[in-house]
Amino acid sequence: MKRLAKGRLLFMFALLTLFLAGCGEPFISTLQPAGQVAQTQYDLMLLSTAIMVGVIIVVTVIFLIVLFKFRRKDDKIPKQVEGSHKLEIIWTVIPILLLLVLAVPTVSATFKLADVSPMEKKNEEGKTDVTVINVKANLYWWEFEYPNQEIVTSQELVVPTDEKVYFNLLSTDVKHSFWIPAVGGKLDTNTENVNKFWLEFNNEKADEVGNLFYGKCAELCGPSHALMDFKVKALPKDEFDAWADAMTAIEEPVQAETTTAQEGQEIFNESCIGCHAVTPTGAGAMGPNLTSFGDRTHIVGYLDHNEKNLKNWLKDPESIKPGNKMTGKYGDLSDDEIDALTDYLMGLKVVEE
């Protein structure tokens, strides 16, 4: 009875695993591709799975035929096929053909996805004719620099849809891995060499998820590795250009309007400005660029964007992202100072509502 119960339990877990393997939200699921790269990789996955399942089915059918049709009925020894050149050729050639069926499209896709030559070509202005983004991974946040537009953002990547977007990947500390599951496979960010690749964001798929995809760090990098998320705003080309123009137009920090926000800006200028930039040209800052902080959808990459979560972060960063570099930098802030700073940061917006 115990064996039977264990068997049923294992069967239920196996069945549950099978069903859960197909679950996932479209903004983060690799099984719901939202771009050319993701679709190519998904098709290769289906091809390899089909080949493996086909081999399993054929072998199982042959096994059952042999088991039931040719089972021993007397003491006679059946005809031996050892040394049959015909059979040896068959079961050698078939695997080779299956490997070729898988290898040819895989190698072809690898070279296609590795082609980043358009990002190396400069026009008369010294810029590229394609969208290029320099990604810098830090403990535990992301910086995104747009060299053509000469602007820098952090934590939320903004990209145009229905065109190739090229990336230069680099890490400032330890090895991380840049991954937008619904749009393409992961690629490591290293400290000494730049990895390059491209992704394409499908506009129709972006509409289905409210133009927001989720990104992850896919390389174990420290205690807050699982919290090192970022968001991707995929916008039609005209909206992306409008956003870039709005960012470029900011030359001076946005001035706070309310009395509380003005107090928060003073606190920021005294305590935070050394690490955080509030203009879009602030490349290489120690902390995330906060120019468009009020436009973000999430705080510290994974918390809902609201005043409560921001205040909790300012009060005790270590409890939200263990091992982060902001912990203990600014001393203890009073509740009134945190309220003022929150009011100021929430007002840092670029997109007009």
Side-chain angles (χ1 to χ4, degrees):
M1 289 295 292
K2 289 184 178 180
R3 289 184 178 179
L4 182 60
K6 289 182 179 179
R8 288 178 178 176
L9 187 61
L10 288 174
F11 175 76
M12 290 177 62
F13 275 120
L15 195 61
L16 185 62
T17 302
L18 180 64
F19 280 108
L20 289 178
C23 297
E25 299 292 345
F27 52 78
I28 199 171
S29 175
T30 58
L31 301 180
Q32 301 183 57
Q36 183 180 348
V37 175
Q39 187 64 55
T40 299
Q41 294 170 340
Y42 180 73
D43 292 341
L44 288 174
M45 184 173 65
L46 289 182
L47 176 61
S48 61
T49 302
I51 292 175
M52 289 185 290
V53 172
V55 170
I56 292 174
I57 292 175
V58 171
V59 171
T60 301
V61 169
I62 294 176
F63 172 78
L64 293 175
I65 292 175
V66 172
L67 181 64
F68 291 103
K69 185 175 180 179
F70 298 102
R71 64 190 307 172
R72 175 174 288 189
K73 300 177 181 177
D74 49 43
D75 294 333
K76 294 182 180 180
I77 298 177
K79 181 182 178 181
Q80 302 298 298
V81 296
E82 181 181 358
S84 171
H85 295 297
K86 184 177 181 180
L87 291 177
E88 292 285 353
I89 291 174
I90 289 175
W91 58 54
T92 300
V93 170
I94 290 179
I96 292 176
L97 293 176
L98 292 177
L99 287 175
L100 287 175
V101 170
L102 181 60
V104 171
T106 299
V107 172
S108 175
T110 299
F111 279 95
K112 179 181 178 181
L113 299 181
D115 181 16
V116 294
S117 55
M119 71 184 295
E120 308 294 345
K121 300 176 182 177
K122 305 289 185 179
N123 55 31
E124 296 179 353
E125 298 177 355
K127 300 180 180 180
T128 62
D129 294 325
V130 296
T131 301
V132 177
I133 301 174
N134 299 329
V135 177
K136 288 185 180 179
N138 308 268
L139 292 171
Y140 297 91
W141 59 280
W142 300 85
E143 180 181 276
F144 308 110
E145 179 184 6
Y146 300 74
N148 286 344
Q149 293 80 10
E150 298 180 352
I151 57 178
V152 178
T153 66
S154 63
Q155 292 300 87
E156 290 201 349
L157 172 66
V158 183
V159 295
T161 57
D162 290 340
E163 68 174 59
K164 292 182 179 179
V165 180
Y166 294 83
F167 295 90
N168 291 308
L169 306 180
L170 185 67
S171 173
T172 62
D173 34 57
V174 300
K175 184 186 289 291
H176 301 279
S177 190
F178 181 82
W179 187 28
I180 308 173
V183 186
K186 66 193 75 170
L187 190 63
D188 283 350
T189 64
N190 302 316
T191 58
E192 297 180 352
N193 66 288
V194 178
N195 282 333
K196 304 179 180 183
F197 79 143
W198 61 269
L199 296 172
E200 184 263 336
F201 300 78
N202 182 273
N203 189 60
E204 293 183 2
K205 295 293 185 180
D207 284 339
E208 293 177 6
V209 297
N211 300 100
L212 191 69
F213 294 103
Y214 283 26
K216 305 284 293 183
C217 174
E219 183 74 39
L220 182 59
C221 55
S224 287
H225 156 69
L227 307 176
M228 191 174 165
D229 295 358
F230 63 95
K231 304 300 177 285
V232 185
K233 291 183 178 179
L235 306 175
K237 179 61 175 177
D238 57 341
E239 294 184 23
F240 171 80
D241 290 339
W243 169 83
D245 290 340
M247 289 287 286
T248 305
I250 299 176
E251 297 180 357
E252 298 292 337
V254 175
Q255 294 300 310
E257 297 181 356
T258 67
T259 302
T260 305
Q262 289 173 357
E263 294 175 1
Q265 187 169 19
E266 292 178 3
I267 296 171
F268 183 89
N269 290 336
E270 292 175 0
S271 303
C272 312
I273 198 69
C275 295
H276 299 281
V278 285
T279 56
T281 57
M286 293 178 60
N289 189 297
L290 304 177
T291 304
S292 57
F293 182 86
D295 294 324
R296 294 184 188 175
T297 59
H298 291 75
I299 292 174
V300 299
Y302 73 98
L303 296 177
D304 290 338
H305 192 267
N306 57 53
E307 292 186 359
K308 178 181 178 182
N309 285 332
L310 178 55
K311 290 177 181 179
N312 289 337
W313 165 253
L314 295 173
K315 186 175 295 184
D316 187 8
E318 188 67 17
S319 65
I320 295 176
K321 267 192 176 180
N324 77 88
K325 295 182 179 180
M326 182 171 164
T327 298
K329 289 290 185 181
Y330 310 117
D332 296 327
L333 295 173
S334 67
D335 289 342
D336 290 339
E337 289 175 324
I338 289 177
D339 290 342
L341 194 54
T342 297
D343 195 15
Y344 169 64
L345 292 174
M346 284 298 192
L348 295 176
K349 296 185 178 182
V350 176
V351 180
E352 295 183 1
E353 297 181 354

